Amino acid sequence: MPTHKYRFCFGPWNISPGQDPYGPPTRRDQPFDWKLAQLKKHGFDAMMFHDDDAVPDIDSKSNKQIFAEAKELKKRLDGEGIAAEMVAPRLWFAPETIDGAYTSNDPKHRKYAIERSKRTIDIAKILGTDILVLWLAREGTYIREAKSGRRSIDLIVEALDAMLAHDKKIRIAIEPKPNEPMDHAYVPTIGHALALAHLTRDPKRVGCLIESAHAILAGLDPADEIDFACAFGKLWSLHLNDQNGLKYDQDRPFGCTNLRSAFDQVRVLERNGYGKRGEFVCFDVHPFRTTREEHWLAHLVNSRTTFQRLVEKARSFDEKAAQTLVKDRDYQALDQMVIEHLLGK
Ligand code: GLO
Ligand code: MG
């Protein structure tokens, strides 16, 4: 099996202070500089950004100010030898996006969302990445009758076209999620994201980002979602994590709940040569609320360790023996072979 070295990243929001809808933070929040220093100290290669992680209070700033601050950040990242993996417009916080961003029923708000996305593309360019990630957080409905599904798809395509026209090089990686914060999202799976690409003015530049937990929430197998996206050459980024059943989005450490599923994900990443074209392995994980400040990076470091251990497991898996069992249709023995391999035999 061909081998290569993986590169890892996370976002500043992954060092989160522990608040949930029922209680306040459990750790003192830290400034961006501290988070960047932690990322470097723990040997990660890149950082993911929301537009307002890169330029705080972005809505109150002029384009001139936004570009100057992005350039300043780029200098700091270069100084630290840290790459920017992607930039994503945070389109779910502003008062203008209460009813959705590109699919809002208010044309002024749709315009806000598109203009803000264009600024995000400008920031991405300055930070040296050609990947714009779109988690379409509020593009869906709380109640079915509030929006037209057909019209919403047209509006999303219109927005994607405006972004593709704004910059000839930008690639859009759609991060699908079936629900939360919405009851139903309009782009719930990788199949939806890749189908949408074909309605745009430049399908080649619209791909996807898979998050393990989002696939699980959609009732799908993350490894199959990875294979599907790779069959199209469209897996441009990845949020590995774990999820214990159909609950709220948990962002647990990678492999925390289902080690075998994590193994399967790593195995298909290996098979598809993920990372060989410059893609990063990102962990969209959060610390448990109980985590003490002195253990604040553990969920990220542990996710990477688990990933690397599973790469060893994928590379040392006896594929020949597995193929013989497949040929004999002895899936019972194959099942136990995987279990024994993971248990260390
Ligand atoms: C939430 C998403 C979120 C995005 C991030 C980048 O469910 O996973 O963390 O990945 O905002 O757009
Ligand atoms: Mg994510």
Side-chain angles (χ1 to χ4, degrees):
M1 199 177 261
T3 57
H4 63 285
K5 232 173 147 293
Y6 288 95
R7 294 184 302 162
F8 300 97
C9 78
F10 63 82
W13 67 92
N14 297 119
I15 311 183
S16 46
Q19 76 274 20
D20 68 15
Y22 306 98
T26 54
R27 296 171 289 273
R28 277 168 304 166
D29 206 0
Q30 291 284 353
F32 174 78
D33 285 356
W34 185 86
K35 294 179 180 175
L36 183 61
Q38 294 299 313
L39 180 136
K40 194 170 159 65
K41 180 174 151 202
H42 290 87
F44 284 78
D45 307 285
M47 192 170 242
M48 330 188 249
F49 289 94
H50 292 116
D51 53 354
D52 58 358
D53 293 322
V55 180
D57 302 319
I58 191 165
D59 281 335
S60 69
K61 291 177 180 165
S62 68
N63 284 353
K64 202 169 151 215
Q65 254 176 311
I66 292 171
F67 301 155
E69 285 187 35
K71 282 181 191 153
E72 204 44 51
L73 174 62
K74 169 71 171 146
K75 261 196 233 148
R76 277 168 60 206
L77 292 176
D78 285 349
E80 303 281 357
I82 297 294
E85 192 254 349
M86 63 83 167
V87 188
R90 200 197 298 264
L91 289 172
W92 49 95
F93 260 60
E96 290 87 346
T97 58
I98 287 174
D99 191 26
Y102 313 129
T103 65
S104 169
N105 281 326
D106 184 333
K108 283 195 303 299
H109 292 169
R110 295 201 297 273
K111 187 155 182 268
Y112 163 86
I114 291 177
E115 286 310 310
R116 185 155 165 182
S117 305
K118 289 184 188 167
R119 283 306 73 68
T120 308
I121 292 171
D122 299 336
I123 295 171
K125 223 172 152 178
I126 294 171
L127 296 187
T129 172
D130 66 348
I131 298 204
L132 178 84
V133 166
L134 295 183
W135 170 41
L136 302 169
R138 296 195 192 277
E139 315 301 5
T141 51
Y142 298 101
I143 60 157
R144 195 42 69 251
E145 300 80 5
K147 290 180 184 175
S148 147
R150 168 61 205 266
R151 181 162 173 268
S152 295
I153 293 302
D154 293 344
L155 289 172
I156 293 172
V157 171
E158 208 179 294
L160 292 172
D161 278 345
M163 290 175 238
L164 292 166
H166 182 69
D167 185 286
K168 298 266 164 313
K169 295 252 165 68
I170 201 75
R171 290 185 294 155
I172 300 174
I174 298 176
E175 178 181 354
K177 181 177 180 183
N179 59 279
E180 201 198 26
M182 309 310 290
D183 179 35
H184 282 286
Y186 285 129
V187 186
T189 70
I190 293 301
H192 289 81
L194 297 189
L196 206 54
H198 284 276
L199 292 178
T200 67
R201 58 187 286 154
D202 195 356
K204 284 190 311 303
R205 289 194 288 138
V206 182
C208 66
L209 179 163
I210 290 176
E211 174 160 327
S212 326
H214 297 180
I216 296 165
L217 285 170
L220 300 172
D221 184 315
D224 283 349
E225 286 282 87
I226 292 170
D227 264 339
F228 185 84
C230 288
F232 289 79
K234 293 267 183 124
L235 185 60
W236 298 338
S237 186
L238 186 64
H239 285 180
L240 293 182
N241 56 17
D242 213 345
Q243 170 75 25
N244 190 11
L246 301 181
K247 301 176 181 172
Y248 60 96
D249 186 6
Q250 296 179 311
D251 295 326
R252 290 155 89 85
F254 182 55
C256 161
T257 304
N258 190 338
L259 198 55
R260 183 169 179 170
S261 162
F263 168 70
D264 289 334
Q265 291 171 62
V266 172
R267 192 156 168 256
V268 299
L269 290 171
E270 281 277 290
R271 242 199 233 145
N272 285 291
Y274 182 83
K276 285 187 177 169
R277 290 160 295 271
E279 308 93 333
F280 287 85
V281 171
C282 311
F283 297 109
D284 200 355
V285 293
H286 287 276
F288 301 128
R289 189 162 189 265
T290 47
T291 302
R292 293 184 200 284
E293 283 176 15
E294 59 268 35
H295 308 141
W296 207 340
L297 267 287
H299 62 304
L300 290 155
V301 173
N302 293 346
S303 291
R304 184 181 57 191
T305 302
T306 305
F307 181 90
Q308 284 166 329
R309 296 284 307 273
L310 289 172
V311 169
E312 286 165 23
K313 285 286 174 192
R315 289 178 184 170
S316 61
F317 187 65
D318 189 344
E319 296 287 351
K320 233 173 117 197
Q323 278 319 306
T324 307
L325 295 174
V326 168
K327 237 165 111 197
D328 291 347
R329 212 178 72 192
D330 192 353
Y331 301 157
Q332 216 65 71
L334 179 61
D335 177 43
Q336 190 62 19
M337 180 184 159
V338 173
I339 292 172
E340 297 288 349
H341 187 63
L342 289 177
L343 288 175
K345 219 178 178 181

